[in-house]
Structures are given as C-alpha cells and as structure tokens.
Amino acid sequence: MSVIVVGVDHSAGATEAVRFALEEAKLRDATLRTVHAWQFGYIGVTGLEGALPAVGGELGDFRTAAAATLDATLREAIPETGGVEVERRVVEGAPTAVLVEQSRDADLLVVGSRGHGGFAQLLLGSVSQQCAQHAECPVVIVRPQANAD
C-alpha cells in the first residue's frame, strides 16, 4: 500500500496541507501518515505557549503536548477521513530531519508553505524548502488559503 506523509505543526499552512494530503490519499488508496516533529526545550504550538516551561519540564510532558498538537490539528482539518487509514506519528527531532526521514518509504510528502517559524514574511518556509531539496520522494508544498491566518 502506498503512503502519503504530511508534516503537521498546527499552523494554517499545515491545516491546508493535511486536507490536501487526505484528498490525495483517497485518490491513491493510500495510508495517510501524519507527522508532528518536536524538540526538547521548544514547543512552537499556537495556543499552548506558557503551558510548559521552555527548558526543564518532564520529557513526557513535551511528548504529551506534541501529541495533543497533532490531534488538535487533525480534528480541525479532517474531522472525517472518508475511510482513509490515518497514522499518527509524534517524533522528537528537527522538523526537516524528521520529515526527510519519513519520506524514505513514502510515495509523496506534503508540507505547508509556511509554518510557525520566525520569518513570517518568507513565501516559502525553511522546512518546506529543505524538504523540497532533500526528500526521497516527490514533495507538494501547499499554500494556505488567502483568508486563512
């Protein structure tokens, strides 16, 4: 069975990427693998700022917060999967490295054009740009809708 991987970070771009990836998975009769990368000491999650200390804290708390971020985005983006099998993966590591690794056995990698990085004025985010250059499968970069922000 084929696999569509989508990077998820709870941004408007990621929400659109998840929607696109689900439709592509339906067309290809593929499994949708949703991936949220997180790093110890940093949680870039809209709405959860201050929920955990930036440093310190328990490792399990960071994993739990990352899993909650993934689940929240999936509930918002695709409340109904239309019969598509959806895998949820929460992986510790830098987003680009995690997504490139996940692309190794995928048929397609889908990412948003801009997530929660520090340079909002960029048209193409650094993670999506690096994925386009280094992924081991075709990459689709999805821009958020004009009114989504």
Side-chain angles (χ1 to χ4, degrees):
M1 167 150 306
S2 56
V3 175
I4 307 293
V5 173
V6 60
V8 181
D9 70 356
H10 205 62
S11 66
T15 299
E16 291 302 318
V18 169
R19 290 178 181 141
F20 178 92
L22 176 66
E23 291 306 312
E24 195 65 27
K26 287 178 186 176
L27 290 172
R28 297 178 185 225
D29 192 28
T31 297
L32 178 61
R33 181 183 305 154
T34 60
V35 179
H36 178 77
W38 66 279
Q39 293 178 283
F40 182 74
Y42 172 75
I43 297 198
V45 179
T46 301
L48 293 181
E49 293 90 348
L52 294 172
V55 292
E58 296 293 325
L59 196 54
D61 293 339
F62 286 100
R63 285 189 188 118
T64 300
T69 296
L70 177 58
D71 289 342
T73 300
L74 294 180
R75 277 192 309 274
E76 176 184 333
I78 53 170
E80 174 53 49
T81 63
V84 171
E85 179 184 348
V86 177
E87 294 179 7
R88 290 171 169 81
R89 293 195 180 177
V90 176
V91 182
E92 182 180 2
T96 300
V98 168
L99 292 172
V100 168
E101 176 63 30
Q102 293 292 318
S103 77
R104 293 184 195 276
D105 67 344
D107 296 288
L108 184 68
L109 172 61
V110 181
V111 292
S113 64
R114 211 167 20 111
H116 282 296
F119 300 99
Q121 69 275 16
L122 294 177
L123 294 176
L124 187 63
S126 59
V127 171
S128 55
Q129 183 177 34
Q130 290 296 309
C131 285
Q133 292 175 336
H134 300 289
E136 296 194 22
C137 66
V139 177
V140 172
I141 300 170
V142 179
R143 293 179 50 95
Q145 294 177 2
N147 61 357
D149 243 310

